[in-house]
Amino acid sequence: MIVPLIKGLQITLKHLFKKPITLMYPEEKPDVAPNFRGLHALKVSHNKAKCVACYLCPTVCPAKCITVEAGEDANHDKYAAKYEIDMLRCIFCGYCVEACPVDALGMTQTFELANYKRSDFVFTKERLLEKK
Amino acid sequence: MEIMGLPLIYYGAMILKVLLAFVFVLLTVAYATYAERKIIGHMQVRVGPNRVGPMGLLQPIADGIKLFFKEEIIPSEASKFAFLLAPLVALIPAFISFAVIPFGDVIEIAGYKIPLQIAAFADNAGTVFDLNIGVLYILAMASLGVYGIVLAGWSSNSKYSLLGGLRSSAQMISYELAAGLAIVCVFMVSQSLSLHAIVADQAGLFGWYLFRNPFTFLAGIIFFICSLAEINRTPFDLPEAETELVSGFCTEYSSMKYAMFFMAEYANMVTVCAVTTTLFLGGWQGPLPSVLNFIAKVYFLMFVCMWIRATYPRYRYDQLMKLGWKVFLPSTLFLIVGNAIWITLFK
Ligand code: SF4
Ligand code: SF4
């Protein structure tokens, strides 16, 4: 009965001299996995968003948080005149990315999405555009 | 100038000793909370508090300020007088035990001999007169602490508090017996109940009562464990078993009254470590200047308390009672007999 008790004490004493694994969060950032599902990004090619406003992502979205409005540009191409994601409702399932037929949508490793106002959580097209 | 046959310096020294001991205990209590969080943190491979001040050193002060500004809530069904009285009744016995604990040897100031023990004075030959039943006084104060907890549990008028209070009184009373019997082994060797005499008798490492003979060694260990149980430290912290009793007897307490229970818990820990040091680890005896020896030993024992807390899970109620009545009580009785035989054989 006594020996296991002493063994327990030994283990905790050994741990006392180990280097803590704590991450000093705001100063140190964690290594986020490459396939992490964070903030969305609209991919850009030829200086404009690849999105063709096909409405597949708002259709598949289980949280119904994507708003797309189609428009027609100078070349008579369909494009997303309005593209908004409400981050307060998004559950970060990634279905929108999977559904996109032209690979216009991706998810980044950004996870610090805290904000002060509710309206700031609705990410507009400008805020979603991929930063190069 | 003399008052009641004693020169004035004795009274001045007395007040100074009271103040110093009080400040020492208060500071130790404040920083014991910090040390505990740091040590347990590192034992769990974390870092513990490190944001307030350099290395988190101002954390106890921040905690104090936070608790001070919390809203004071008194349940409407509570018995108000007892509810307000309970934290005081818990806190005061934790501190007054220090009146008889000798924290140093006799020192000489301006030709007068002054013992570093609050309730004591020395004549010019250096003979110390202290409370000749010091150990009984400590036992008495230790048992007073239970009233604060019972009162808190009962006056809150809440089921959780009441159960917490009941548990803790049962626990304290059971373990007091074994702790008291373990001290009997000390009396048998020291032939005195005066704490000064007990410490003075423990000169040299093998003079420590812990190492006097195998029976006092076991008695020392049992005394320490029973004391942990008596002051409700982990692994015997049943009265505040969060998983079943919310926060035990102090569930309904908030603000400074809660802080007082918290302080009482840590002050009790300091007291228990000081008593163990005095009775078994040779008090101020050792290589360093006298007071420092005492402080070093007390701090070591407090580290052991925290170490134990980081290691063991909580006992179940029936296991706790079984351990107290069926293991510690008979074994201390056996130790007393064994000790008596040893003392008679190896005089
Ligand atoms: S991640 Fe899921 S919930 Fe969020 S926008 Fe895409 S589909 Fe909708
Ligand atoms: S599925 Fe792709 S292309 Fe279609 S609207 Fe969504 S982002 Fe645009």
Side-chain angles (χ1 to χ4, degrees):
Chain A
M1 184 208 162
I2 308 254
V3 176
L5 288 179
I6 293 174
K7 256 190 203 148
L9 285 175
Q10 273 174 357
I11 290 171
T12 39
L13 192 65
K14 236 183 268 160
H15 277 76
L16 181 60
F17 301 104
K18 279 191 184 165
K19 198 179 163 314
I21 55 159
T22 308
L23 189 80
M24 292 300 161
Y25 165 61
E27 292 95 47
E28 285 170 43
K29 303 285 182 192
D31 287 330
V32 178
N35 56 351
F36 184 79
R37 299 202 296 265
L39 180 67
H40 303 70
L42 284 170
K43 293 185 185 164
V44 176
S45 87
H46 301 101
N47 284 328
K48 61 183 175 84
K50 279 164 86 177
C51 175
V52 293
C54 68
Y55 292 97
L56 275 180
C57 56
T59 312
V60 80
C61 176
K64 295 278 166 269
C65 61
I66 308 182
T67 315
V68 185
E69 264 167 32
E72 205 179 321
D73 67 7
N75 300 335
H76 305 290
D77 282 339
K78 203 180 176 192
Y79 82 110
K82 181 179 173 192
Y83 193 100
E84 276 176 13
I85 302 183
D86 184 351
M87 284 304 160
L88 285 176
R89 294 182 60 186
C90 174
I91 56 170
F92 299 94
C93 61
Y95 285 2
C96 49
V97 178
E98 247 174 70
C100 182
V102 293
D103 190 26
L105 196 58
M107 281 176 125
T108 60
Q109 290 159 331
T110 313
F111 60 91
E112 289 160 312
L113 299 174
N115 237 322
Y116 287 100
K117 284 205 293 281
R118 272 180 172 265
S119 53
D120 289 339
F121 286 96
V122 181
F123 279 67
T124 55
K125 191 174 175 185
E126 289 69 49
R127 287 170 77 193
L128 286 170
L129 277 178
E130 189 180 31
K131 314 236 161 21
K132 280 275 165 77
Chain B
M1 203 179 133
E2 294 196 345
I3 303 171
M4 292 199 309
L6 284 174
L8 208 56
I9 187 165
Y10 281 114
Y11 295 97
M14 188 76 80
I15 292 169
L16 203 66
K17 280 187 290 188
V18 172
L19 282 179
L20 283 180
F22 192 61
V23 168
F24 168 74
V25 179
L26 273 184
L27 275 180
T28 309
V29 164
Y31 276 90
T33 60
Y34 168 78
E36 174 148 40
R37 289 165 70 179
K38 270 282 183 202
I39 289 171
I40 293 182
H42 278 279
M43 281 181 171
Q44 295 167 348
V45 208
R46 299 183 283 116
V47 285
N50 66 345
R51 293 283 161 177
V52 194
M55 290 165 62
L57 273 171
L58 298 178
Q59 186 69 43
I61 297 166
D63 286 343
I65 293 174
K66 187 199 86 174
L67 280 169
F68 192 78
F69 284 109
K70 287 265 167 168
E71 189 188 350
E72 193 90 42
I73 298 168
I74 301 176
S76 53
E77 295 297 308
S79 153
K80 209 170 170 193
F81 177 69
F83 190 79
L84 294 178
L85 190 68
L88 284 174
V89 177
L91 185 61
I92 292 171
F95 279 107
I96 47 181
S97 302
F98 256 83
V100 292
I101 291 171
F103 33 84
D105 204 354
V106 181
I107 53 164
E108 206 174 307
I109 299 174
Y112 290 104
K113 296 236 165 35
I114 293 172
L116 291 177
Q117 180 180 6
I118 293 172
F121 76 96
D123 61 15
N124 284 338
T127 322
V128 175
F129 300 95
D130 68 341
L131 191 62
N132 57 4
I133 48 152
V135 183
L136 294 186
Y137 172 82
I138 285 180
L139 285 176
M141 289 308 127
S143 24
L144 271 186
V146 73
Y147 286 102
I149 288 174
V150 172
L151 214 54
W154 171 73
S155 67
S156 304
N157 208 345
S158 136
K159 292 177 191 70
Y160 296 118
S161 306
L162 186 64
L163 284 174
L166 282 180
R167 274 187 180 191
S168 95
S169 41
Q171 177 183 341
M172 283 172 135
I173 292 165
S174 334
Y175 277 85
E176 228 167 66
L177 270 171
L181 286 176
I183 296 184
V184 172
C185 290
V186 172
F187 301 160
M188 294 166 77
V189 183
S190 70
Q191 310 276 331
S192 166
L193 288 183
S194 137
L195 287 170
H196 180 83
I198 287 176
V199 176
D201 192 36
Q202 302 184 62
L205 182 61
F206 290 98
W208 291 10
Y209 287 155
L210 192 67
F211 302 125
R212 265 302 162 84
N213 67 47
F215 299 103
T216 47
F217 181 76
L218 289 176
I221 291 171
I222 290 182
F223 175 75
F224 189 59
I225 296 173
C226 291
S227 306
L228 285 185
E230 211 186 316
I231 59 168
N232 303 324
R233 281 282 307 176
T234 11
F236 309 106
D237 58 343
L238 287 165
E240 37 184 323
E242 290 97 349
T243 35
E244 47 213 86
L245 287 178
V246 192
S247 193
F249 59 88
C250 49
T251 305
E252 304 294 342
Y253 281 88
S254 55
S255 184
M256 267 330 263
K257 294 201 290 302
Y258 172 77
M260 277 160 89
F261 278 117
F262 206 71
M263 273 164 70
E265 192 188 320
Y266 281 87
N268 271 324
M269 185 165 103
V270 182
T271 310
V272 158
C273 293
V275 172
T276 315
T277 304
T278 311
L279 293 179
F280 291 99
L281 299 184
W284 76 77
Q285 309 267 16
L288 305 167
S290 67
V291 184
L292 292 184
N293 281 317
F294 175 76
I295 293 178
K297 287 173 193 172
V298 171
Y299 284 177
F300 172 74
L301 283 180
M302 288 177 67
F303 170 74
V304 174
C305 290
M306 294 164 189
W307 185 10
I308 287 174
R309 175 164 179 183
T311 310
Y312 301 129
R314 182 181 299 128
Y315 267 80
R316 212 171 57 207
Y317 189 61
D318 60 318
Q319 294 172 328
L320 178 92
M321 284 296 155
K322 219 181 260 169
L323 190 71
W325 290 100
K326 291 191 179 164
V327 179
F328 285 146
L329 193 64
S331 47
T332 40
L333 286 172
F334 162 77
L335 287 179
I336 292 174
V337 175
N339 198 18
I341 295 171
W342 184 283
I343 291 172
T344 339
L345 287 183
F346 308 92
K347 195 76 191 172

